[in-house]
């Protein structure tokens, strides 16, 4: 049963991943990427890594890809002009592709991944894997985790400062001033006779 | 017409397949029975929530509301459902057909799937998983795809604006929602929804629930929930007075009805989750008071649905009371008000826990 589900999910994953790079429309490509994330989360669930699977859906499908779609939907990409540069960039792209392929081959053929599947037992942890992951992150590798967090924060601050512009002509509201407004500042009662003269 | 039959057939097939898988995989007959009971009950709740909404808002506005179909208009939702089912589904010629049809399904599926981990009463839960809280957060966050895809696939400017607004709003409020849930997680020491309810059991009944020590988080969670379900006053994705009906302008008939179903299912879900995480789920509010024994015969599921109904009433009340937020005000509230408050309150909760503040955080009582 689990094998059947695995093959179904893998087939969908491979199909979706292939469509991400072959489909013309960028929005459809992003949606196929969402599908790919979702099915890989399903495969992780089969491995009983429920925390990682749900975190993948939560972070990538729920937040990152929504932002991504948000940007991609607003772009008006002309596919012809993109394809013009294809021949010019092909050598560089091909080189990077070959490099990545060689790295993958080196890593996957190393001894670490060459253990037989039956040697890796699935029922190792006595605690559930949310707890296990928490211990690894916040007890064993706390400093590494915090350094990674600080690096991300620095990157975020840098990105914001790089793109921040204070334009003189832009108009904005100041809610704190709006809240402080009193009746006396806005309303003036005038005595008049009822016929207006 | 042909298409609606085709989609109906596909839906039925998927349902049958899911049932078959559960039959083979799990010999647990109670679970299947629970599924067969729960889904129609939820859909019936949705139907009568629309009726309650029209009646309650009617009375708030000194009108009567629907009163023609059946006694006191009680069969109105059934009539509406039948009408929607027999309406023509119009497919815009320039729309992306596949995505156009799948968008309502994508809105509906997570709204139903999230119920898998909701505990209705003690041990009344389909899947008592340890990462339940995360699962809920993940499911509520992927509901936005229905709205985004609907807006894009319709190939209409109004629908597209609705989708963009919805995407930005969901991303903003999900962070505040997540931080509010971190507070619940810290207070209860668990991601399991049943364990969160159990952690709120105490000697003071109503006052030993989490709403009191986590009050700012409770308020923020509920308001973010309103924003996440695109309900008034945060319904800028629909905004019928500015962008006609936002993301579902082009939808008609049953496809439109499915969007409606998803929205109301999400409303019930958010109310149920607020009840579970801050209002003690199935626990009785009278524990520790002299009248505790009078209510000890009431089953937990009644308390649970009572609390859910209270929050649903609040949602309807909001809609009848508040004008729609302006878009920039929504963004300001989400990013500049809610997120800082939640972060500050997480520190305060940390201090509470270190000080073992009774009755919520004292060692023998809570954690």
């Amino acid at each position: 049963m689990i094998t059947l589900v695995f093959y179904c999910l893998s087939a969908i994953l491979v199909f979706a991943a292939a469509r991400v790079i072959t489909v013309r429309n960028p929005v459809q490509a992003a949606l196929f990427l969402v599908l790919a994330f979702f099915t890989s989360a399903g495969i992780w669930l089969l491995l009983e890594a429920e925390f990682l699977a749900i975190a993948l859906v939560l972070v990538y499908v729920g937040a990152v890809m929504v932002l991504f779609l948000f940007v991609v939907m607003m772009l008006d990409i002309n596919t012809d002009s993109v394809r013009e540069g294809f021949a010019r960039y092909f050598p560089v792209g091909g080189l990077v592709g070959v490099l990545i392929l060689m790295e993958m081959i080196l890593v996957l053929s190393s001894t670490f991944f060459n253990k037989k599947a039956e040697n890796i037992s699935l029922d190792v942890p006595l605690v559930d894997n949310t707890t296990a992951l928490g211990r690894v992150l916040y007890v064993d590798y706390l400093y590494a985790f915090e350094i990674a967090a600080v690096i991300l924060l620095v990157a975020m601050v840098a990105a914001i400062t790089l793109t921040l512009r204070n334009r003189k002509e832009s108009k904005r509201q100041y809610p704190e001033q709006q809240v402080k407004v009193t009746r006396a500042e806005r309303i003036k009662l005038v005595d008049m006779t009822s016929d207006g003269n | 017409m042909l298409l609606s039959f085709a989609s109906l057939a596909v839906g039925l097939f998927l349902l049958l397949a899911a049932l078959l898988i559960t039959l083979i995989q799990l010999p647990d007959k109670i679970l299947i029975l629970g599924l067969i009971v729960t889904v129609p009950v939820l859909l019936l709740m949705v139907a009568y929530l629309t009726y309650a909404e029209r009646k309650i808002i009617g009375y708030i506005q000194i009108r009567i509301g629907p009163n023609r179909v059946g006694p006191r208009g009680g069969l109105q939702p059934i009539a509406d459902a039948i009408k929607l089912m027999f309406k023509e589904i119009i497919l815009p010629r320039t729309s992306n057909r596949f995505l156009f049809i799948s968008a309502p399904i994508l809105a509906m599926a997570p709204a139903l799937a999230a119920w898998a981990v909701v505990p209705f009463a003690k041990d009344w839960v389909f899947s008592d998983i340890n990462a339940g809280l995360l699962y809920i957060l993940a499911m509520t966050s992927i509901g936005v795809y229905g709205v985004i895809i609907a807006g894009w696939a319709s190939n209409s400017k109004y629908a597209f604006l609705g989708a963009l607004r919805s995407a930005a709003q969901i991303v903003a409020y999900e962070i505040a929602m997540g931080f509010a849930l971190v507070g619940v997680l810290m207070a209860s020491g668990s991601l399991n929804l049943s364990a969160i309810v159990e952690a709120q059991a105490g000697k003071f009944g109503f006052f030993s629930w989490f709403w009191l020590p986590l009050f700012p988080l409770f308020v923020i969670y509920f308001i973010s929930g309103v924003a996440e379900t695109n309900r008034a006053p945060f319904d800028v994705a629909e905004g019928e007075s500015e962008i006609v009906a936002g993301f579902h302008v082009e939808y008609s008939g049953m496809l439109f009805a499915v969007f409606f179903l998803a929205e109301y299912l999400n409303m019930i879900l958010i109310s149920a989750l607020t009840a579970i995480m801050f209002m003690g789920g199935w626990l009785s509010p009278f524990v520790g008071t002299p009248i505790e024994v009078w209510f000890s015969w009431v089953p937990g599921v009644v308390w649970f649905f009572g609390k859910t109904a209270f929050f649903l009433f609040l949602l309807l009340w909001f809609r009848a009371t508040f004008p729609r937020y302006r878009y920039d005000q929504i963004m300001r509230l989400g990013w500049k008000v809610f997120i800082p408050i939640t972060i500050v309150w997480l520190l305060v909760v940390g201090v509470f826990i270190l000080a073992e503040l009774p009755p919520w955080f004292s060692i023998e009582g809570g954690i």
Side-chain angles (χ1 to χ4, degrees):
Chain A
M1 189 65 210
I2 284 178
T3 329
L4 184 74
V5 174
F6 172 76
Y7 278 114
C8 282
L9 287 176
S10 316
I12 297 172
L13 176 58
V14 170
F15 169 73
R19 290 300 276 165
V20 172
I21 50 170
T22 51
V23 80
R24 291 272 170 81
N25 191 318
V27 174
Q28 283 178 359
L31 289 175
F32 273 115
L33 193 55
V34 171
L35 182 63
F37 279 136
F38 209 82
T39 38
S40 43
I43 291 175
W44 285 2
L45 263 186
L46 288 183
L47 290 170
E48 299 181 12
E50 87 261 2
F51 181 83
L52 284 179
I54 294 173
L56 181 72
V57 172
L58 180 62
V59 176
Y60 281 92
V61 178
V64 173
M65 288 312 291
V66 172
L67 278 179
F68 209 77
L69 268 178
F70 186 85
V71 176
V72 165
M73 281 200 302
M74 285 195 289
L75 298 176
D76 186 24
I77 295 175
N78 189 352
T79 40
D80 292 331
S81 65
V82 172
R83 246 178 299 156
E84 268 173 22
F86 183 74
R88 201 149 58 87
Y89 292 117
F90 183 73
V92 184
L95 192 70
V96 173
V98 169
L99 272 176
I100 292 175
L101 193 69
M102 276 167 62
E103 280 178 5
M104 289 290 279
I105 290 170
L106 277 175
V107 169
L108 289 177
S109 61
S110 69
T111 50
F112 184 72
F113 283 99
N114 269 353
K115 288 175 187 155
K116 285 273 189 310
E118 57 261 35
N119 291 348
I120 305 165
S121 60
L122 282 174
D123 47 13
V124 184
L126 291 169
V127 290
D128 59 290
N129 64 43
T130 313
T131 322
L133 211 73
R135 282 207 187 125
V136 170
L137 271 185
Y138 297 108
V139 180
D140 301 349
Y141 296 101
L142 181 63
Y143 285 119
F145 180 77
E146 284 184 343
I147 289 167
V150 170
I151 291 173
L152 278 177
L153 180 69
V154 169
M156 196 169 84
V157 172
I160 291 171
T161 37
L162 278 177
T163 52
L164 183 72
R165 287 180 301 162
N166 273 324
R167 287 196 299 185
K168 289 263 175 351
E169 71 270 24
S170 73
K171 288 178 180 147
R172 57 184 303 185
Q173 294 180 326
Y174 298 94
E176 60 278 7
Q177 290 175 12
Q178 292 176 329
V179 169
K180 272 188 215 146
V181 165
T182 55
R183 182 172 177 274
E185 289 173 55
R186 294 287 165 90
I187 295 177
K188 192 171 129 196
L189 290 180
V190 185
D191 278 327
M192 293 175 91
T193 52
S194 57
D195 59 355
N197 295 320
Chain B
M1 205 57 196
L2 199 80
L3 250 167
S4 69
F5 274 123
S7 57
L8 196 72
V10 170
L12 276 177
F13 169 74
L14 284 177
L15 197 75
L16 278 178
L19 271 179
L20 273 179
I21 289 170
T22 38
L23 272 172
I24 298 164
Q25 188 75 5
L26 307 151
D28 193 356
K29 290 284 186 295
I30 300 168
L31 188 80
I32 297 154
L33 202 73
L35 269 177
I36 291 169
V37 173
T38 310
V39 174
V41 164
L42 278 177
L43 295 185
L44 210 67
M45 274 175 76
V46 167
Y48 277 89
L49 182 57
T50 62
Y51 174 69
E53 173 166 38
R54 291 167 72 178
K55 272 290 187 193
I56 289 170
I57 293 181
Y59 284 129
I60 287 174
Q61 296 167 347
I62 326 181
R63 297 182 285 115
I64 296 173
N67 68 340
R68 293 289 133 175
V69 191
R72 288 173 172 269
L75 295 177
Q76 185 70 44
I78 313 286
D80 286 345
I82 293 171
K83 184 194 81 173
L84 279 169
M85 263 187 255
F86 285 99
K87 277 200 163 184
E88 185 188 356
I89 295 175
I90 299 166
L91 296 173
R93 199 190 298 161
T94 52
S95 68
N96 184 322
R97 201 160 276 210
F98 176 73
L99 288 178
F100 189 79
I101 292 170
S102 50
I105 303 167
L106 282 175
M108 176 94 173
L112 270 177
W115 287 93
V117 296
V118 172
F120 295 96
K122 196 170 170 53
D123 300 328
W124 277 28
V125 52
F126 289 120
S127 171
D128 201 16
I129 58 171
N130 277 322
L133 201 61
L134 275 175
Y135 175 80
I136 288 283
L137 207 58
M139 282 300 134
T140 48
S141 67
I142 59 175
V144 67
Y145 277 98
V147 176
I148 296 180
I149 291 174
W152 185 77
S154 301
N155 203 1
S156 146
K157 287 188 177 63
Y158 292 119
F160 188 60
L161 275 175
L164 286 183
R165 286 176 170 200
S166 173
Q169 180 178 320
I170 297 264
V171 169
Y173 280 84
E174 200 173 274
I175 299 172
M177 211 170 181
F179 272 126
L181 294 188
V182 170
V184 176
L185 159 67
M186 282 166 72
S188 65
S190 175
L191 281 168
N192 183 315
L193 290 178
S194 303
I196 287 170
V197 174
E198 297 287 354
Q200 298 178 57
K203 279 171 277 180
F204 301 97
F206 182 64
F207 294 101
S208 48
W209 299 342
F210 284 154
W211 66 273
L212 201 52
L214 305 179
F215 191 72
L217 300 183
F218 163 55
V219 174
I220 286 173
Y221 179 79
F222 192 59
I223 296 175
S224 305
V226 179
E228 198 113 322
T229 47
N230 286 328
R231 289 288 300 179
F234 297 97
D235 57 345
V236 288
E238 287 175 43
E240 65 272 9
S241 49
E242 327 166 355
I243 49 170
V244 280
F247 63 97
H248 56 50
V249 195
E250 307 289 346
Y251 282 86
S252 62
M254 209 51 215
L255 288 181
F256 172 74
V258 172
F259 270 124
F260 229 73
L261 271 176
E263 180 180 327
Y264 282 79
L265 271 175
N266 275 325
M267 280 168 68
I268 303 175
L269 182 73
I270 288 293
S271 308
L273 289 175
T274 317
I276 285 170
M277 286 182 286
F278 298 98
M279 282 291 180
W282 65 79
L283 300 174
S284 159
F286 299 113
V287 175
T289 57
I291 54 169
E292 182 189 346
V293 280
W294 298 0
F295 291 97
S296 55
W297 55 272
V298 178
V301 67
V302 173
W303 292 122
F304 172 71
F305 277 113
K307 290 164 188 173
T308 308
F310 170 71
F311 286 114
L312 281 173
F313 178 73
L314 284 187
L315 281 174
L316 305 183
W317 193 359
F318 289 164
R319 179 170 165 199
T321 309
F322 297 120
R324 182 178 303 125
Y325 261 110
R326 217 173 48 212
Y327 183 72
D328 61 314
Q329 291 171 332
I330 287 183
M331 285 298 126
R332 183 178 166 272
L333 185 72
W335 290 104
K336 292 188 176 173
V337 180
F338 280 178
I339 293 175
I341 291 177
T342 46
I343 292 175
V344 168
W345 205 257
L346 286 186
L347 292 177
V348 175
V349 173
V351 172
F352 282 173
I353 291 172
L354 283 181
E356 293 176 13
L357 185 78
W360 309 286
F361 303 109
S362 51
I363 297 301
E364 72 281 344
I367 307 163

